[in-house]
Amino acid sequence: MNWTVNRHDLPLSNPFGISRETSETSETVMVEVTHEGTTGIGAVTPSAYYDESAQSVAETLPALCETVDRIGDPHAQQRIERELAEQAPDQPAARMALSIAVHDLAARQLDLPLYRQWGLDPDAVPPTTYTVGIDSPERMAEKAREAANSGFGHLKVKLGTGDDQARLDAVRDAVSDAEIRVDANAAWTTQEAIDNADWLADAGVTMLEQPVAADDIDGLRRVTDATEIPVAADESCVTASDVPRVADACDIVNAKLVKCGGLRPAMRLLNTAEAHGLDSMLGCMVESHASIAAAVHLAPLVDYVDLDGALLLASDPYAGVPLDSDVFDLTAVSAGTGVRRMRDA
């Protein structure tokens, strides 16, 4: 096998704000693995919140690629996942990038789209949300209006400021017909979240994601018990092993490949959530189509999709699964994840 690892700082169309930070670039690491003339493409945008960086991923990936090369068979995915987890247990983002590349490669060698290799239904993909980052109320309303006019009927609004209600009111006034979900990124205390849930419900909010600190499971439970709005755990639920801990404290879990370490771990998380009677969502970072495309193939398994990260970029060297309005069209993928270099698109 041959492989390449490259770093890219991808510019965003607009600064993207959440309660913890505001970003203007997506620090991305991309990996391509070639075997018997076929190339698989993967990527990751690691998060400092989970103690990884583009530098740490770029430094880790060569050794992980050597392990895949030694195994020698991209279809030996159980063994590959096991050995990479043993080799880099605390670096799920690095494992994620290579997981995507290997799955893309194996499916391309079979000349199948990844969802067909898994036997999933392309017509079961829920619509994706479009995320409105924290900004002035006026600018958030403008972004929401632009998204709705582009065909997005479901918006995720980032909150976690000292003036959240004004921001949400501005968005609601701008897009009266859109479904609105809110993500506080762990910014509120339990009491703040319970108090805020009243006006969120009045505004017709249909999901409240990670209202309290990641380790405050009791607080998450109290918020869930206090509101009719479905509550989702994101930062509180990283891998499948976290699902039992949050199962009675939320209604939905948010699976992200960057948190759990790749496609197979994400599928385990989703299956575990289902076994515990929870709904599930697929989420993402602000990241390249080279990451997003792979996650889309898991979308038939979930109740909610939030895979708009590549849409927030000003430029991306890769194209991915096309959108039909706000629904990803998996039937348009001929083989692999559907990711391709822009010059080939």
Side-chain angles (χ1 to χ4, degrees):
M1 290 187 186
N2 297 315
W3 47 268
T4 61
V5 174
N6 293 292
R7 286 182 58 176
H8 297 265
D9 288 340
L10 305 179
L12 276 58
S13 297
N14 297 285
F16 182 75
I18 66 173
S19 60
R20 291 189 293 269
E21 60 187 358
T22 297
S23 303
E24 296 186 3
T25 60
S26 172
E27 296 183 356
T28 301
V29 183
M30 298 178 175
V31 56
E32 297 191 8
V33 180
T34 301
H35 180 249
E36 297 179 348
T38 301
T39 298
I41 298 169
V44 66
T45 298
S47 171
Y49 182 84
Y50 297 106
D51 298 321
E52 290 185 89
S53 66
Q55 180 177 345
S56 69
V57 168
E59 291 174 350
T60 300
L61 271 172
L64 300 185
C65 288
E66 289 175 1
T67 296
V68 174
D69 185 24
R70 174 176 52 77
I71 294 171
D73 179 6
H75 299 274
Q77 291 167 4
Q78 183 179 20
R79 180 181 175 189
I80 289 170
E81 182 200 348
R82 181 178 66 247
E83 294 201 18
L84 296 187
E86 291 172 354
Q87 185 175 352
D90 299 322
Q91 294 172 289
R95 303 198 315 267
M96 165 196 165
L98 192 51
S99 166
I100 291 173
V102 169
H103 278 81
D104 185 37
L105 170 58
R108 288 180 189 273
Q109 287 186 334
L110 296 173
D111 198 28
L112 283 175
L114 188 56
Y115 77 88
R116 287 202 63 198
Q117 186 181 3
W118 291 336
L120 301 182
D121 179 5
D123 295 330
V125 177
T128 184
T129 52
Y130 187 94
T131 305
V132 178
I134 292 173
D135 208 324
S136 68
E138 296 77 16
R139 184 66 181 127
M140 291 177 71
E142 182 181 350
K143 292 177 182 176
R145 190 179 299 110
E146 290 172 355
N149 290 340
S150 297
F152 292 94
H154 304 77
L155 304 179
K156 175 188 278 193
V157 177
K158 294 287 190 177
L159 296 179
T161 75
D163 199 12
D164 284 330
Q165 189 166 0
R167 286 170 167 78
L168 187 68
D169 287 347
V171 169
R172 175 50 81 199
D173 289 344
V175 288
S176 58
D177 295 332
E179 179 180 321
I180 294 179
R181 304 165 187 170
V182 161
D183 185 4
N185 285 111
W188 297 332
T189 66
T190 300
Q191 192 58 53
E192 285 173 336
I194 292 171
D195 293 343
N196 291 345
D198 289 337
W199 54 262
L200 293 174
D202 290 342
V205 168
T206 59
M207 182 191 297
L208 175 54
E209 185 177 348
Q210 198 61 51
V212 298
D215 59 355
D216 187 5
I217 306 304
D218 180 64
L220 187 67
R221 182 182 300 105
R222 289 172 57 198
V223 177
T224 299
D225 290 344
T227 179
E228 294 298 316
I229 302 172
V231 175
D234 178 4
E235 288 91 337
S236 293
C237 188
V238 176
T239 69
S241 63
D242 293 317
V243 173
R245 186 170 63 99
V246 302
D248 68 346
C250 64
D251 306 291
I252 306 160
V253 294
N254 186 1
K256 292 179 179 175
L257 273 62
V258 70
K259 295 190 299 184
C260 61
L263 289 160
R264 290 172 61 89
M267 192 177 292
R268 279 198 298 277
L269 192 156
L270 298 176
N271 290 338
T272 307
E274 182 179 19
H276 281 80
L278 297 171
D279 285 346
S280 59
M281 174 168 59
L282 273 173
C284 65
M285 313 303 284
V286 180
E287 54 191 316
S288 167
H289 284 291
S291 305
I292 298 293
V296 173
H297 288 258
L298 289 170
L301 295 173
V302 303
D303 303 283
Y304 305 95
V305 168
D306 179 33
L307 295 175
D308 65 329
L311 307 179
L312 306 178
L313 298 174
S315 63
D316 187 348
Y318 294 95
V321 182
L323 276 168
D324 180 4
S325 186
D326 59 355
V327 178
F328 287 100
D329 182 9
L330 281 175
T331 65
V333 177
S334 59
T337 66
V339 68
R340 59 212 184 276
R341 299 182 191 88
M342 282 298 293
R343 63 177 179 269
D344 301 326

